[in-house]
Amino acid sequence: MCFIPFSPLSTCLFHKLLPQIPLKMCANSFHFQIDQLDSDDPTFQDFLQGTSQDLDINQESTHVDDDDDNVDNEVQFNEPLSTINPAPAKNHNQHNPHNPDLNKDENFPIWEKQTIAEMNRFRQTITSMREQLNMQEAGLSSMEEDYRERKERYHAFLNREDNDLSGIGSTGRRKNGVVDYDNDKFVWDASLKDNMTKVFGIKAFRLCQRGVCNANMDGRDIVVVMPTGGGKSLTYQLPAIMTTGVTLVLSPLISLITDQIMHLRNAGVEAVKITGSTPKSDQDNINARLGSMAAGAAAAGRDSNEKEIKLVYCTPEKIAKSKRFVALLQRLADAMKLARIVIDEAHCVSQLGHDFRPDYQKLHILRQLFPNVPIMALSATCPPLVLKDLLKVLRLGEIVPADNVPKSKNNPPNTVYFTSPLYRPNLCYQVLPKAAEGNKVYEEITAWILEKHREDSGIVYCLSKKDTEKVATELTKRGGIRTGVYHSERSDSEKEKLHWNWQKGVVKVVCATIAFGLGIDKGDVRFVIHHSLSKSLDGYYQESGRAGRDGKDSDCVIYYRPQDASTLSSMAMADKDGNTKLYAMLLFVQDLEQCRKIQFANYFSHTSNLSLTSWSTSSVSAHTPCGHCDNCTRPADSFEVKDVTVEAWQLLKIIQEVVRGGGNATLAKTAELARRTGGAGAGGGHGRKRGKKSSGGGKESVIMDLDAVCGGKVLLKKEDIETLLIELLLQRYLKEQYYSTAYSTVVYIQPGERSAMLTRFSNKEALATLSESMRLSCSFRITKKNPKGKSAETSSKKAKEKTGATAAASTLNLDDELEDSDVPEFCSGIDNHHNDDDNEHSIRKFNSTTTAAGKQKATSSMSLQKNIRAQQASKPTIISDDEGDVDGAFKDTGGNRFIDVGLNHESSDVDDWMDIVTTKPPPRKRRKIERGELSQEIDVIELSSDES
Ligand SMILES: Nc1ncnc2c1ncn2[C@@H]1O[C@H](COP(=O)(O)OP(=O)(O)OP(=O)(O)O)[C@@H](O)[C@H]1O
């Protein structure tokens, strides 16, 4: 509304000359409709030209009055009513002596000029006011829309069957001041379901999807932990299409983004991506569309038929690097058009997670830049420290469970935490023994696939790029299986082609490193095979979870042999908590008795904020065996639990002897040595004896005198010895020692902190005095009839009878023992981990459990808690070789003997050198091994001529 002071005379003249313009009288002003002030009107022109000379337009007194309902288009003459008396021309002149006398014709030219100038200024003012008002109108209509929506919700709430007026504040509020997003009724319920079916073709919510959608619709900060394939995408895509504005989704992989965009577009949802690979013209177009959303489409003059963008996908790198994009988001947020920010695979935020991405850490700016925009973090695995880190990095408030959210939003607002049962009953877990020879492994995997899933899609995860190619070739060669290879060195176009071929079923089996799979949305993956162990149980859960996303029965198989542990260990040592995580994985695969589901449940409920209920379903509790995994279905005669106290003592004695002589031994070589295989016969003397010269001339083999060292060879199969060695490692009777060279890391085993509990006995007969509780037992697979011809079942039963109580008692006893040590206490729950980062995984305890047959079996696995403590107590020593020579594996202890038994982790097929060389410390003139020969000769040491 304009207030322009006119002199009373001007008012009268104006009205007289332009009677078509309505003159309104207000309490103290006159109004002319500006619309009718047509500059082309001849009368108006006349007025301007000749008779309007007394208009006194004061530009500076013009102002906008937003409160007035008559908005604009009126000019107000804010003279008092009394002054419009026609008589007052004189008075006017008296009041305003500078005004010329209208009756004097000679003054007209001056007035004319002044008036025209004034009128032009007046017009400009009106134009600028119109613009301002248009913009305000746009803002007003969006506020009206918002208001209408809220009003509807409010009325709907009042009409709810179970409404409770004392809780009103927003939808879904209950009397006791909390919201239950999972169960309360909400005004958008019907529309949510409608859109889910119509747009996404999904008939019913599953897991916590409904609750998450409700919390999203209510503008909450949210953390969602749902299993892979659980349906996390729907929980933000559905609210996105139902709310005003755009949802920003940050996702780590371009392939994943492309996949999501494709699905959304097929569903008719307007989704776009802005990544480094988006062509500039596309980016400009998207930016322009978002810009017009921020400005209000009408104001920006965009095509009204153009669909509004509902989801924008980009990588975290884009946020970290593009100021222009961030500025655009800010404009959207200011215009209340940034509905929410979704962070997919949110565990990548944390360095403690298994997929850390540095650019995710920069996402802390989101809360700073957009304090009012809700943030949603999604993940499939989120251990407590990762969750804690995630909340910290993203500046999210304290978490509250989804069924008990305080109605008032605190500052900072609470984060609503959703978690779903991680147990997926359609996945059948199995650990199969892996043959020592590579060819046999390929043969077995091929046979397994052809027998179980001849026509199905699957993934074979391998440890190295080389392995992926080898396995793929072998599967095709041996079984005609159509395979593809995926690893980080494949080009983008190769990866894209493989994705396409796999989706279409042209490629049946993808042999890949773990780079493959994050976010792959292929529902009918019927099997996931691990050619080697995963580095952690979290990783394994995630990788294996890519099977059966459509809910149909699928297989998850690990081929395991203990030697792989060395390879993994050398890789894990560089990671924070790497060994702790690997040990959990080893406990999983070593266990032949406890249901896999229960193992997962125990692990995750202790290592993450996930309660055990995450592993229960509506029908079964977390500790009810799944009934279909290998351990639930394992025939009783296919494994035996043996008392291995003597064998453990022997192995420790051997390793002790190796170390005493200044040598090192790998797991594989210790197993060979213990069985007196790999070369010459037994010797006497100090337990070691010079063997025959090697054909190379400079090398010398020495075999340990097992009779002298440990009363004879260990009477177990090689693979059983390896299994036992892993068990001893997990129970701190052994520890690892790493030897790093420029090319690789070799893992040796050494006596651990608990070894003295056995090695203090001088001979195996003396072990008989060991109390039952101190004896050790271990489970072994039975692949053939045992040598004595007894049935495996009988022997197994006997063994169990003999050792069952022992194992349990041993566990207890060891726990007691540890109570006095100064190892920190372990606790569960996120809050208890504040000052105990290293203990993250130390709080799980594997219990013996009921098998499918309903029998309580003794387990040889001691409490993992103790294992972890062992880890902390005995941090591995890393010896580094400054020279970087491979042959630097030699360890000079200053004595006369030199023993080195090694394994190169880079090749699992290496026929490792296992000789023990007795000699004085050789002079440092050893042959430098070239890169090409590394895998074959890592531990070869050439002696000087005088010692040969
Ligand atoms: N309620 C539902 N009923 C049936 N199918 C569903 C439901 N929700 C999602 N899906 C389907 O399940 C599949 C997996 O969903 P989605 O990709 O969202 O899983 P995710 O949790 O993101 O998995 P990942 O962590 O592996 O990325 C999709 O094909 C999706 O259409």
Side-chain angles (χ1 to χ4, degrees):
M1 179 67 67
C2 316
F3 294 93
I4 303 172
F6 276 65
S7 73
L9 180 58
S10 310
T11 308
C12 292
L13 281 170
F14 200 77
H15 187 49
K16 197 176 161 199
L17 287 165
L18 301 165
Q20 77 276 22
I21 299 173
L23 171 65
K24 279 196 192 172
M25 271 201 318
C26 294
N28 58 357
S29 60
F30 290 98
H31 300 235
F32 280 102
Q33 289 297 129
I34 289 175
D35 279 330
Q36 297 174 42
L37 281 175
D38 184 350
S39 53
D40 295 333
D41 186 322
T43 324
F44 184 55
Q45 287 302 328
D46 276 349
F47 171 76
L48 293 178
Q49 293 295 318
T51 54
S52 60
Q53 57 271 60
D54 74 332
L55 278 173
D56 177 12
I57 302 172
N58 183 350
Q59 177 79 21
E60 280 167 21
S61 67
T62 305
H63 70 274
V64 176
D65 179 5
D66 287 331
D67 295 330
D68 196 314
D69 285 338
N70 295 320
V71 195
D72 61 349
N73 296 350
E74 288 183 3
V75 177
Q76 284 193 346
F77 297 89
N78 61 353
E79 289 289 335
L81 211 68
S82 57
T83 62
I84 62 163
N85 192 321
K90 222 174 169 182
N91 292 345
H92 172 79
N93 282 338
Q94 279 168 5
H95 291 303
N96 187 357
H98 301 294
N99 259 358
D101 189 345
L102 272 176
N103 297 322
K104 292 181 183 171
D105 286 347
E106 63 274 18
N107 288 332
F108 268 72
I110 303 161
W111 282 108
E112 189 178 295
K113 281 180 200 158
Q114 283 181 345
T115 307
I116 289 169
E118 293 293 329
M119 286 305 285
N120 282 339
R121 277 168 53 202
F122 179 47
R123 273 202 204 101
Q124 280 169 7
T125 310
I126 302 289
T127 313
S128 104
M129 284 192 302
R130 272 209 180 112
E131 278 170 8
Q132 283 180 32
L133 286 165
N134 279 341
M135 280 167 67
Q136 283 178 359
E137 216 166 23
L140 202 65
S141 59
S142 119
M143 281 161 72
E144 272 171 1
E145 201 181 305
D146 190 35
Y147 170 68
R148 258 199 311 276
E149 203 180 300
R150 282 168 190 272
K151 201 164 145 191
E152 268 174 31
R153 284 195 220 160
Y154 176 72
H155 284 292
F157 176 76
L158 290 182
N159 295 330
R160 274 172 25 152
E161 280 160 29
D162 60 341
N163 69 30
D164 181 344
L165 298 186
S166 61
I168 293 174
S170 87
T171 54
R173 301 280 152 82
R174 295 192 303 186
K175 191 175 182 179
N176 56 1
V178 295
V179 189
D180 179 352
Y181 286 113
D182 285 323
N183 299 307
D184 280 354
K185 288 183 183 170
F186 295 89
V187 62
W188 50 75
D189 276 353
S191 155
L192 205 62
K193 274 199 188 133
D194 203 37
N195 277 298
M196 180 172 76
T197 315
K198 284 192 185 140
V199 181
F200 296 99
I202 291 174
K203 291 194 186 104
F205 287 114
R206 66 184 183 200
L207 305 174
C208 58
Q209 280 179 327
R210 182 174 172 270
V212 183
C213 287
N214 285 334
N216 247 329
M217 293 294 290
D218 205 22
R220 294 288 184 163
D221 288 338
I222 304 167
V223 170
V224 182
V225 181
M226 257 173 115
T228 49
K232 291 186 277 299
S233 318
L234 185 80
T235 61
Y236 65 84
Q237 290 172 351
L238 185 51
I241 61 167
M242 289 177 60
T243 36
T244 316
V246 66
T247 292
L248 175 73
V249 187
L250 303 173
S251 184
L253 288 181
I254 294 178
S255 60
L256 168 54
I257 292 176
T258 311
D259 215 44
Q260 293 279 358
I261 299 272
M262 191 182 80
H263 279 100
L264 285 165
R265 288 187 164 244
N266 286 344
V269 178
E270 195 62 5
V272 295
K273 61 173 178 175
I274 302 189
T275 65
S277 60
T278 312
K280 186 163 182 319
S281 57
D282 288 2
Q283 285 203 30
D284 289 345
N285 181 269
I286 293 165
N287 287 341
R289 288 173 71 187
L290 294 174
S292 44
M293 281 176 75
R302 301 283 313 179
D303 176 3
S304 58
N305 292 325
E306 204 172 43
K307 265 180 138 181
E308 195 179 72
I309 296 173
K310 297 313 296 177
L311 291 117
V312 177
Y313 281 81
C314 71
T315 52
E317 287 78 4
K318 185 80 187 165
I319 298 288
K321 286 175 189 146
S322 173
K323 284 187 188 149
R324 187 174 165 218
F325 184 60
V326 171
L328 181 58
L329 292 175
Q330 252 170 329
R331 282 170 53 210
L332 280 165
D334 292 345
M336 295 172 67
K337 288 290 172 68
L338 188 55
R340 66 187 59 76
I341 298 169
V342 178
I343 298 162
D344 202 4
E345 311 291 350
H347 54 272
C348 298
V349 163
S350 172
Q351 273 179 314
L352 307 168
H354 59 280
D355 275 327
F356 172 61
R357 291 271 294 256
D359 276 307
Y360 264 79
Q361 293 238 316
K362 296 178 188 149
L363 297 184
H364 65 87
I365 58 161
L366 294 174
R367 186 44 29 114
Q368 286 165 288
L369 293 176
F370 316 114
N372 299 319
V373 179
I375 291 177
M376 177 189 195
L378 299 164
S379 176
T381 46
C382 202
L385 288 181
V386 175
L387 179 61
K388 193 177 155 203
D389 219 22
L390 186 149
L391 297 174
K392 195 169 138 201
V393 172
L394 299 179
R395 310 278 199 272
L396 293 174
E398 202 181 321
I399 57 169
V400 285
D403 60 353
N404 198 22
V405 183
K407 69 175 179 181
S408 57
K409 290 186 182 173
N410 305 336
N411 195 14
N414 284 122
T415 303
V416 188
Y417 183 67
F418 288 90
T419 172
S420 295
L422 296 178
Y423 170 50
R424 294 175 54 196
N426 64 319
L427 298 188
C428 180
Y429 282 92
Q430 291 176 68
V431 179
L432 295 178
K434 183 175 176 181
E437 315 85 58
N439 281 339
K440 193 139 187 256
V441 180
Y442 305 134
E443 212 168 89
E444 282 171 1
I445 295 180
T446 309
W448 188 91
I449 294 175
L450 292 180
E451 188 198 329
K452 312 256 180 187
H453 296 286
R454 183 177 282 270
E455 296 302 324
D456 296 335
S457 291
I459 304 173
V460 180
Y461 278 112
C462 306
L463 208 52
S464 68
K465 296 165 199 154
K466 201 172 116 196
D467 283 351
T468 59
E469 279 159 17
K470 180 74 178 158
V471 173
T473 311
E474 293 292 335
L475 294 186
T476 307
K477 193 173 90 186
R478 290 161 195 270
I481 298 167
R482 296 196 299 277
T483 55
V485 173
Y486 189 105
H487 54 67
S488 59
E489 275 173 21
R490 304 290 286 192
S491 69
D492 285 350
S493 62
E494 283 172 323
K495 286 178 186 170
E496 210 163 294
K497 199 169 153 199
L498 175 66
H499 269 299
W500 196 90
N501 283 334
W502 196 52
Q503 290 284 355
K504 299 283 166 212
V506 179
V507 163
K508 284 290 177 193
V509 178
V510 177
C511 300
T513 58
I514 55 168
F516 181 73
L518 195 61
I520 296 294
D521 189 12
K522 183 168 166 63
D524 63 347
V525 178
R526 290 278 78 83
F527 63 93
V528 171
I529 293 175
H530 276 71
H531 175 256
S532 295
L533 294 178
S534 294
K535 284 205 276 182
S536 69
L537 208 49
D538 306 67
Y540 180 61
Y541 175 75
Q542 186 110 347
E543 289 143 28
S544 59
R546 283 161 198 147
R549 286 156 62 94
D550 56 5
K552 296 189 184 157
D553 287 352
S554 307
D555 286 307
C556 304
V557 176
I558 306 183
Y559 280 87
Y560 167 63
R561 65 170 177 164
Q563 277 190 40
D564 285 352
S566 299
T567 314
L568 266 298
S569 180
S570 65
M571 296 165 87
M573 72 170 221
D575 301 342
K576 188 170 189 297
D577 294 330
N579 262 53
T580 308
K581 289 176 183 169
L582 176 61
Y583 280 21
M585 183 78 237
L586 287 171
L587 278 171
F588 183 85
V589 288
Q590 287 262 121
D591 198 320
L592 300 179
E593 298 174 75
Q594 192 172 44
C595 167
R596 302 293 173 194
K597 170 198 158 190
I598 296 172
Q599 283 183 276
F600 273 129
N602 285 338
Y603 173 75
F604 281 108
S605 61
H606 285 110
T607 60
S608 71
N609 203 45
L610 307 170
S611 68
L612 265 180
T613 52
S614 295
W615 292 86
S616 50
T617 60
S618 50
S619 51
V620 288
S621 84
H623 276 128
T624 306
C626 72
H628 53 68
C629 71
D630 57 347
N631 285 352
C632 282
T633 56
R634 193 182 301 287
D637 61 357
S638 66
F639 75 102
E640 60 183 340
V641 183
K642 287 184 76 167
D643 183 320
V644 288
T645 313
V646 170
E647 290 83 354
W649 174 84
Q650 286 179 297
L651 289 169
L652 291 173
K653 281 285 183 189
I654 291 168
I655 293 163
Q656 195 180 42
E657 186 65 11
V658 169
V659 173
R660 199 176 65 79
N664 294 301
T666 62
L667 182 135
K669 292 310 159 191
T670 305
E672 286 182 10
L673 188 59
R675 296 182 70 242
R676 205 181 275 154
T677 57
H686 281 87
R688 292 177 299 276
K689 185 185 177 186
R690 224 172 257 266
K692 53 185 174 182
K693 248 190 239 178
S694 78
S695 54
K699 289 170 270 181
E700 187 176 22
S701 301
V702 173
I703 297 301
M704 188 177 285
D705 180 352
L706 296 179
D707 293 332
V709 172
C710 58
K713 70 176 187 177
V714 178
L715 296 173
L716 289 174
K717 286 184 287 176
K718 182 172 182 250
E719 48 271 37
D720 290 349
I721 294 179
E722 289 178 354
T723 300
L724 177 55
L725 286 168
I726 294 290
E727 207 60 45
L728 292 173
L729 194 65
L730 292 172
Q731 296 178 30
R732 289 180 295 140
Y733 287 90
L734 290 174
K735 67 177 182 185
E736 288 149 322
Q737 187 184 49
Y738 300 93
Y739 187 87
S740 294
T741 71
Y743 307 103
S744 63
T745 300
V746 186
V747 183
Y748 298 115
I749 46 176
Q750 291 199 337
E753 65 184 84
R754 298 179 71 210
S755 65
M757 287 166 69
L758 290 182
T759 52
R760 66 196 160 101
F761 295 98
S762 56
N763 55 57
K764 59 182 172 186
E765 287 71 33
L767 288 168
T769 62
L770 203 59
S771 70
E772 279 294 296
S773 63
M774 295 302 294
R775 304 190 73 82
L776 298 176
S777 63
C778 188
S779 307
F780 301 110
R781 289 173 190 274
I782 299 174
T783 45
K784 298 175 200 152
K785 269 198 153 191
N786 68 35
K788 289 180 185 168
K790 290 178 191 165
S791 84
E793 190 176 12
T794 320
S795 111
S796 164
K797 271 185 186 164
K798 277 199 168 177
K800 268 189 272 174
E801 275 162 21
K802 189 179 162 197
T803 60
T806 306
S810 165
T811 304
L812 273 175
N813 181 289
L814 290 163
D815 271 339
D816 294 344
E817 211 176 287
L818 281 158
E819 266 174 24
D820 292 328
S821 72
D822 55 1
V823 178
E825 261 315 305
F826 301 105
C827 39
S828 61
I830 185 169
D831 291 335
N832 297 333
H833 287 77
H834 286 230
N835 305 314
D836 199 8
D837 283 9
D838 289 341
N839 295 335
E840 181 201 344
H841 297 281
S842 61
I843 44 176
R844 55 204 175 267
K845 187 165 178 173
F846 281 57
N847 304 317
S848 50
T849 185
T850 314
T851 62
K855 291 179 182 172
Q856 191 76 19
K857 291 179 180 175
T859 170
S860 66
S861 299
M862 305 218 179
S863 129
L864 177 58
Q865 186 168 339
K866 287 176 300 198
N867 297 328
I868 305 312
R869 292 176 186 186
Q871 269 295 295
Q872 291 163 339
S874 58
K875 291 261 184 232
T877 326
I878 300 173
I879 308 167
S880 73
D881 180 1
D882 291 338
E883 293 171 23
D885 291 354
V886 174
D887 55 359
F890 163 70
K891 189 178 170 202
D892 182 356
T893 55
N896 280 336
R897 299 189 185 278
F898 174 76
I899 304 172
D900 196 317
V901 185
L903 169 69
N904 172 19
H905 80 77
E906 284 192 344
S907 169
S908 50
D909 299 328
V910 179
D911 184 16
D912 300 304
W913 179 80
M914 68 141 296
D915 299 340
I916 296 177
V917 183
T918 60
T919 174
K920 282 187 271 180
R924 297 185 76 82
K925 62 170 196 178
R926 286 160 280 145
R927 182 167 66 89
K928 197 158 184 167
I929 293 172
E930 299 302 324
R931 195 179 270 274
E933 7 173 6
L934 182 66
S935 61
Q936 293 301 320
E937 300 194 52
I938 183 164
D939 294 313
V940 173
I941 294 167
E942 202 168 271
L943 302 177
S944 57
S945 53
D946 59 324
E947 288 151 351
S948 58

